[in-house]
Amino acid sequence: MTSRNGSRANRNANGKVDRWHDTYCPYCGVGCGLRVGVSNGKVAKVRGNPDHPSTLGDLCLKPIHLPGALDTPDRIREPLMRANGRGMGMGTPSADTGFQSVTWEKATTYIAEKLKHIIEEHGPGAVAFYGSGQFTTEDYYVANKLLKGFIGSNNFDANSRLCMASAVAGYVTALGSDGPPPAYEDIDHADCFFLIGSNMADCHPVLFNRIRRRKKSDPENVKIIVVDPRETRTAAIADLFLPIRPGSDVALLNGMMNVLCSDGKVDQAFIAEHTSGHEELLDTIGMFPTEAAARVCGIDESDLIQAARLFGDSHGVLSFWSMGLNQSVNGVAKNQAVINLHLATGQIGKKGSGPFSLTGQPNAMGGREAGGLSHLLPGYRTIANPTHRQEVEQFWGTPEGRIAPKPGLAAVDMFDAAARGEVKAMWIMCTNPVVSMPNIDVIEKAMSKLELLVVTDAYHPTDTTQYAHVLLPAAQWSEREGVMTNSERRITYLPRMVEPVGKAKPDWRILADVAAAMGFAHDFEFESAEDVFNEFTQLTKGRVCDYSGVSVGRLKAEGPLQWPVPGADHPGTARLYSSLHDGRSTQPGVENSAGDGRDAKAAAVFATADGKAKFNTPEFVPPAELPNRRFPLLLTTGRLRNQWHTMTRTGKSESLMKGAREPFLEIHPVDAVRRQIEEGDVVEIRSRRGRVWAKARVTEKIREGACFMPFHWGRLAGRFDAANNVTLAEVDPISLEPELKACAVEVRLRPGYEAIRATKLFQGLAKAIKR
């Protein structure tokens, strides 16, 4: 026997596994429960955990191949420093970068002294940290506490800025707070699924399979709408597929709202009692009659009307979206427009319904809760709110005013500031921005200009580690303990299953040691990840994301819990805003006037000033870069089913590489014929910023005028393999999330490839003649 998240002795005596651990997948935000077998101190097997309530034992292929990616020759096993203290210059990627092994004490002391010198010379704003949605919540919390609370810089951002920032802003501006309202169990009760800007089959396959099972259980009554410029595997199960032009989502969504209002499919009682701003919205959607909206989207008007009526006629609608909406200069408006549909129809807070943003990384949700973006503080507080700053300063025991009153630099601005020489020191942890950020030339320039670049990672070389002055070995997934939160707000404990490789340490421990070396030892006296977690949970008490009833001991004994969990005996909360439909207020921190858990009518369930959700008025804004004569195609980027981010782990698996060993470009046959491109040709994709080479895949599954390329490869794979050589860094003005889903390009045969193709043709003819 064992606790639900502890280890268990192997009862099968198969000689291969010594013990099993229940844990959590380190890949996407679905947060699959894993059962991991350890043999001779190594991870040997990974299975689905049928006891984990989020995924009930389901898995995709990626975690199954984790054992071969953990203790590899490229693991960083001890701290490394440059002999000359300098990183590499731009454009010279190489595996051999002149590092020397040093002790932890020397590395920690050097970093601390260098940071103090830069702060003294240039001020706290010259220091920036860049983290990751693969952090544990404890890593996020200690990084934020050190930088914002003690160094005095708010320049902490994370790769979640590239992922979920627009969804955060969408929820906050509409519902008053971040946090997806539904739960995965709602999939089993919905009768309509609206999938927009998300290739769930590839990016969130376990949830996609659950939707597919729901469809099979009642194929006549369960309807699926898929909106995507590509006809993906997700679209294969759709009752209605809308291949809209990249970036035209707001036109579609406002057009659908117009139909709902015209048809009388809105819930007037819900709107009157629980929302504000509906009249203003009507003025906006009046500009989007269905004919005009369909024309902007490049689809048939009848399909737009059908989508709206499927939505409006359903008892339970779940909308899922991801990067296709978020990574846009109009990303917040797209999120607001989806939420508007749910508010107008009352499809929120009840079983089988709600607007559900899919998180891209395993703990991007936990990072938001811990304050892991440059405008946030722990417990869903904001930098701009003076009361919030004061609450956190008092809790941390820092002087009043230590937390700077202005939000720090978001990701794109942070690297731009480093490229201009304004940010002097940067600490990059658990991520590889020289592949994942847009417009890589600027990122490389930033790396080369820093006076201090510290990189904490598990592997070397990566495109980013090659620029480091100090390289620190991180204990990764199986070698550390901590807590993560998935897309349905479910908190899971991850046990340490094996010893760290070499001298690797967890990120929170490394940060706390540097804090101590800087003179803040008393405030970072954490002996364990559990100590960190216990401190963090106190800052969530009474907040929307209330963890105060959660402890590591409880997670070990009972298993994962969904916040809010405001008391030690509270069971957790499956869905937010359920009191909208039963008159009961479940929102933490909200008092009911009747004092008995009920409030007659306008229960203040939303975290807004009046307790009501707000209809926003999203306006259609086209992509920042539209096609023209020189760059006539619109490129969109995305993930592959069996790869993860920059492939530092998944790229080590032969099985996972089989589907795509090198970059490729999907292009429509009409666009291919115009350019004399054939299937398998090597093509050059060129934008205003750079170029990339890839093999052509000629397919009608992409819209004419658009093309698609996966973003997983970086420049270490080949100078012109990186999709982000060509993407642009324009951002949404509210979320500051960059537009990675649309940029203008031209595609042609790679220079010199005509000769290669002619040679292949000649060789083929010669073989045929021989036969």
Side-chain angles (χ1 to χ4, degrees):
M1 297 292 293
T2 181
S3 63
R4 291 189 56 173
N5 283 282
S7 64
R8 63 185 70 203
N10 177 38
R11 293 182 179 271
N12 296 320
N14 56 19
K16 293 183 179 179
V17 172
D18 302 323
R19 63 188 186 276
W20 291 91
H21 294 268
D22 290 355
T23 188
Y24 176 95
C25 182
Y27 288 121
C28 79
V30 171
C32 295
L34 305 183
R35 191 152 284 167
V36 174
V38 173
S39 177
N40 296 319
K42 306 282 187 185
V43 172
K45 287 188 176 181
V46 177
R47 300 172 179 168
N49 178 6
D51 295 330
H52 196 284
S54 286
T55 49
L56 306 172
D58 283 357
L59 280 187
C60 73
L61 285 176
K62 292 188 287 293
I64 292 171
H65 293 281
L66 273 166
L70 300 175
D71 188 2
T72 53
D74 61 345
R75 282 296 301 270
I76 308 170
R77 297 172 186 273
E78 54 193 342
L80 303 171
M81 288 178 58
R82 300 275 183 192
N84 60 2
R86 296 186 61 79
M88 295 179 56
M90 282 185 62
T92 55
S94 168
D96 180 13
T97 51
F99 283 107
Q100 293 182 349
S101 300
V102 297
T103 65
W104 269 111
E105 181 181 7
K106 182 172 181 179
T108 300
T109 301
Y110 176 81
I111 294 167
E113 292 302 319
K114 191 73 173 174
L115 286 174
K116 287 194 290 185
H117 172 74
I118 288 171
I119 293 165
E120 185 178 336
E121 289 288 314
H122 304 285
V127 178
F129 290 0
Y130 189 65
S132 167
Q134 295 174 73
F135 266 174
T136 64
T137 299
E138 295 85 352
D139 298 331
Y140 265 119
Y141 179 73
V142 176
N144 272 283
K145 182 177 180 179
L146 172 57
L147 188 64
K148 294 175 182 174
F150 288 82
I151 289 176
S153 169
N154 291 329
N155 296 335
F156 180 94
D157 219 47
N159 55 15
S160 298
R161 179 71 67 179
L162 314 183
C163 170
M164 299 310 300
S166 293
V168 173
Y171 282 135
V172 170
T173 54
L175 310 180
S177 173
D178 190 7
Y184 296 163
E185 68 180 55
D186 287 311
I187 292 172
D188 304 328
H189 304 285
D191 61 353
C192 181
F193 296 93
F194 185 55
L195 313 181
I196 180 168
S198 174
N199 180 12
M200 289 182 71
D202 284 3
C203 301
H204 300 92
V206 169
L207 288 189
F208 173 76
N209 288 338
R210 192 163 179 172
I211 292 174
R212 185 160 54 183
R213 288 195 297 271
R214 173 63 178 141
K215 173 68 174 174
K216 286 182 178 179
S217 74
D218 192 3
E220 292 302 313
N221 294 312
V222 174
K223 302 299 181 183
I224 298 175
I225 307 163
V226 174
V227 183
D228 198 311
R230 299 172 66 215
E231 188 177 346
T232 63
R233 290 192 318 114
T234 304
I237 68 167
D239 295 280
L240 177 63
F241 172 52
L242 304 178
I244 64 171
R245 290 191 179 98
S248 62
D249 309 79
V250 169
L252 171 73
L253 296 165
N254 282 351
M256 289 174 62
M257 178 66 79
N258 211 329
V259 175
L260 291 174
C261 293
S262 300
D263 285 3
K265 297 293 185 181
V266 297
D267 187 334
Q268 294 290 359
F270 183 92
I271 291 169
E273 187 170 353
H274 297 298
T275 72
S276 65
H278 189 249
E279 292 299 320
E280 292 85 344
L281 175 64
L282 293 178
D283 294 337
T284 297
I285 64 170
M287 297 184 292
F288 277 91
T290 53
E291 182 182 3
R295 187 166 56 249
V296 170
C297 296
I299 59 174
D300 290 340
E301 182 184 7
S302 60
D303 287 342
L304 187 154
I305 293 171
Q306 184 184 358
R309 289 176 176 166
L310 286 174
F311 195 109
D313 290 338
S314 299
H315 297 291
V317 183
L318 273 176
S319 294
F320 288 100
W321 70 92
S322 191
M323 303 309 111
L325 292 195
N326 296 335
Q327 292 177 334
S328 166
V329 294
N330 206 25
V332 175
K334 293 175 183 179
N335 277 262
Q336 291 170 340
V338 173
I339 296 170
N340 281 347
L341 294 177
H342 283 267
L343 295 178
T345 54
Q347 294 281 359
I348 185 171
K350 65 180 184 178
K351 189 177 288 187
S353 72
F356 205 148
S357 66
L358 290 175
T359 311
Q361 298 183 82
N363 199 35
M365 275 299 301
R368 288 140 67 173
E369 296 147 18
L373 291 172
S374 61
H375 65 293
L376 297 178
L377 290 169
Y380 281 172
R381 293 175 176 86
T382 60
I383 293 286
N385 186 315
T387 301
H388 290 176
R389 295 197 304 274
Q390 185 179 47
E391 288 171 351
V392 176
E393 286 169 347
Q394 289 176 352
F395 183 84
W396 283 341
T398 59
E400 184 176 350
R402 174 59 58 86
I403 299 176
K406 287 180 59 178
L409 296 170
V412 170
D413 290 336
M414 181 185 296
F415 287 98
D416 284 348
R420 294 192 302 268
E422 295 167 9
V423 167
K424 305 291 184 181
M426 189 179 292
W427 192 343
I428 297 171
M429 295 162 270
C430 199
T431 186
N432 190 10
V434 182
V435 179
S436 57
M437 287 289 292
N439 197 0
I440 292 175
D441 280 350
V442 172
I443 310 305
E444 287 191 328
K445 182 180 178 182
M447 300 291 95
S448 64
K449 291 199 72 170
L450 290 164
E451 292 181 19
L452 175 67
L453 174 59
V454 182
V455 178
T456 309
D457 208 319
Y459 302 99
H460 173 70
T462 71
D463 291 70
T464 301
T465 61
Q466 63 180 334
Y467 288 95
H469 305 119
V470 184
L471 191 52
L472 303 177
Q476 63 157 315
W477 170 69
S478 56
E479 304 160 359
R480 60 181 183 174
E481 68 170 333
V483 165
M484 291 188 175
T485 310
N486 73 356
S487 290
E488 65 165 350
R489 297 170 284 102
R490 195 177 295 276
I491 309 159
T492 298
Y493 168 72
L494 292 73
R496 189 174 82 169
M497 297 174 284
V498 299
E499 292 297 314
V501 166
K503 298 177 181 178
K505 295 182 181 181
D507 291 272
W508 70 263
R509 177 75 272 166
I510 299 168
L511 287 154
D513 289 345
V514 169
M518 293 183 72
F520 309 128
H522 174 73
D523 300 285
F524 290 83
E525 291 180 335
F526 303 116
E527 295 297 325
S528 66
E530 185 172 358
D531 287 348
V532 180
F533 184 72
N534 288 341
E535 180 173 306
F536 161 66
T537 60
Q538 295 177 64
L539 273 170
T540 68
K541 187 173 179 61
R543 305 294 300 167
V544 171
C545 56
D546 195 332
Y547 273 45
S548 60
V550 183
S551 66
V552 170
R554 187 177 176 190
L555 292 173
K556 288 180 179 179
E558 299 179 28
L561 296 165
Q562 284 177 281
W563 64 254
V565 190
D569 58 350
H570 193 284
T573 308
R575 61 189 59 83
L576 303 179
Y577 317 122
S578 58
S579 62
L580 297 171
H581 303 281
D582 63 12
R584 298 183 63 86
S585 176
T586 59
Q587 194 73 2
V590 174
E591 298 294 331
N592 294 294
S593 58
D596 61 354
R598 292 183 178 272
D599 192 347
K601 289 203 173 182
V605 294
F606 293 108
T608 55
D610 60 2
K612 295 185 176 186
K614 177 179 173 56
F615 281 99
N616 289 279
T617 54
E619 296 184 7
F620 169 65
V621 174
E625 207 172 70
L626 292 173
N628 60 15
R629 181 171 294 183
R630 185 181 173 197
F631 299 106
L633 301 178
L634 206 58
L635 173 70
T636 187
T637 65
R639 297 176 178 171
L640 302 180
R641 179 180 175 85
N642 290 337
Q643 293 302 334
W644 173 248
H645 284 197
T646 64
M647 300 195 299
T648 52
R649 274 194 297 234
T650 52
K652 293 175 170 55
S653 168
E654 174 63 22
S655 297
L656 295 179
M657 290 297 293
K658 285 180 181 177
R661 297 182 182 278
E662 56 191 342
F664 64 85
L665 181 85
E666 290 182 355
I667 186 170
H668 191 275
V670 171
D671 296 318
V673 167
R674 287 172 181 158
R675 293 159 177 79
Q676 299 183 322
I677 292 169
E678 299 174 3
E679 177 76 18
D681 284 347
V682 179
V683 296
E684 180 177 87
I685 305 100
R686 185 180 287 272
S687 76
R688 292 170 174 83
R689 290 155 297 283
R691 56 181 170 161
V692 59
W693 295 340
K695 278 196 173 179
R697 293 187 180 181
V698 180
T699 174
E700 292 183 345
K701 293 184 181 297
I702 186 79
R703 279 187 63 98
E704 183 181 347
C707 51
F708 168 82
M709 185 176 178
F711 64 75
H712 301 292
W713 286 266
R715 287 178 172 176
L716 278 183
R719 180 65 187 171
F720 300 115
D721 280 358
N724 283 325
N725 281 344
V726 300
T727 53
L728 77 163
E730 296 295 321
V731 300
D732 182 287
I734 299 172
S735 70
L736 305 181
E737 182 164 352
E739 184 156 76
L740 289 162
K741 289 298 182 187
C743 70
V745 299
E746 174 58 305
V747 178
R748 63 182 184 183
L749 286 174
R750 196 195 82 185
Y753 189 77
E754 293 92 338
I756 296 172
R757 192 161 67 178
T759 301
K760 287 181 178 179
L761 178 62
F762 176 78
Q763 289 171 345
L765 288 171
K767 285 181 182 178
I769 291 168
K770 258 189 181 179
R771 293 194 197 102

